[in-house]
Amino acid sequence: VTPDARQVVASMAAAPSIRVLGHVRDTAAVYQEASAFICPSLEEGSALVTYEAMACGLPLIFTYNSGAVARDGLEGIQVPIRDVEATAAAIERLYRDAQLRREMGRAGRQRAQDYTWEAAAERFIGAYEEALNAGADEILVITISGAMSGTIESARAAAEGFRAPVKVLDSKSNSMSLCLLYTSPSPR
């Protein structure tokens, strides 16, 4: 943390409504004390904290750039980056509407189940079996993360010269897409 950031945090920590926790081992307990989770990030591949917050049943206030898998109006409220007024309005809306908080929190908890390691493994195994059942001669697995995430074009570029259909295993995630490419069966 930069000295400037420390000064800002120190001045904010003096407010009675602010708690500076420092390192926390049991993040779920902290999430469960909250009413909503705000991630106004300028740039993330996919912030793990948004998945954790959703799994704990918190509605999100997020920017597109946060990489959150929440959908605007369903699991949270999407706000433009650097828009303090829109962020404040979203906070106010969730603060005043307990029913909306509960609905978005429930929806977020449900959506988070699609992004467990077990769910990702099941999708990967399913696609791999599909390639094998199609009689694939060769299989190439590519992971794409960060700014290139989720783009079939990126997978094709990475596999240039590998003439094959592209199977996108996890196109729903902003954090990482697993792409399985395989060749068509050779003529016999």
Side-chain angles (χ1 to χ4, degrees):
V1 179
T2 66
D4 290 342
R6 283 191 191 129
Q7 278 185 321
V8 171
V9 170
S11 68
M12 294 173 81
S17 61
I18 304 287
R19 289 185 323 172
V20 178
L21 302 177
H23 177 74
V24 175
R25 289 184 190 269
D26 184 7
T27 55
V30 175
Y31 289 129
Q32 290 166 352
E33 291 180 28
S35 300
F37 186 82
I38 306 164
C39 187
S41 184
L42 298 178
E43 185 177 345
E44 298 284 342
S46 185
L48 178 60
V49 294
T50 61
Y51 294 86
E52 293 171 344
M54 288 171 60
C56 288
L58 292 177
L60 300 185
I61 297 172
F62 62 100
T63 62
Y64 173 80
N65 300 45
S66 71
V69 296
R71 296 166 294 185
D72 184 33
L74 296 175
E75 297 90 16
I77 300 171
Q78 183 175 325
V79 296
I81 62 168
R82 297 184 176 95
D83 191 331
V84 175
E85 290 80 19
T87 303
I91 293 169
E92 181 77 18
R93 182 174 173 205
L94 288 179
Y95 174 76
R96 298 217 178 273
D97 193 338
Q99 180 65 28
L100 181 63
R101 276 196 320 269
R102 283 191 296 273
E103 288 171 7
M104 287 183 167
R106 275 193 295 273
R109 185 180 292 117
Q110 183 64 40
R111 184 152 172 86
Q113 295 307 306
D114 292 338
Y115 296 94
T116 64
W117 287 112
E118 293 81 9
E122 286 176 21
R123 286 191 298 273
F124 182 80
I125 290 168
Y128 190 76
E129 287 173 346
E130 182 181 318
L132 290 176
N133 291 336
D137 291 326
E138 185 176 4
I139 298 174
L140 172 65
V141 177
I142 300 174
T143 60
I144 302 170
S145 61
M148 293 177 22
S149 150
T151 62
I152 294 174
E153 293 76 24
S154 298
R156 286 194 179 117
E160 193 171 311
F162 186 87
R163 289 194 306 260
V166 175
K167 173 69 178 176
V168 179
L169 300 181
D170 192 5
S171 60
K172 296 183 287 185
S173 171
N174 288 338
S175 63
M176 180 180 292
S177 293
L178 296 173
C179 299
L180 186 71
L181 294 83
Y182 55 92
T183 60
S184 301
S186 300
R188 305 246 186 251

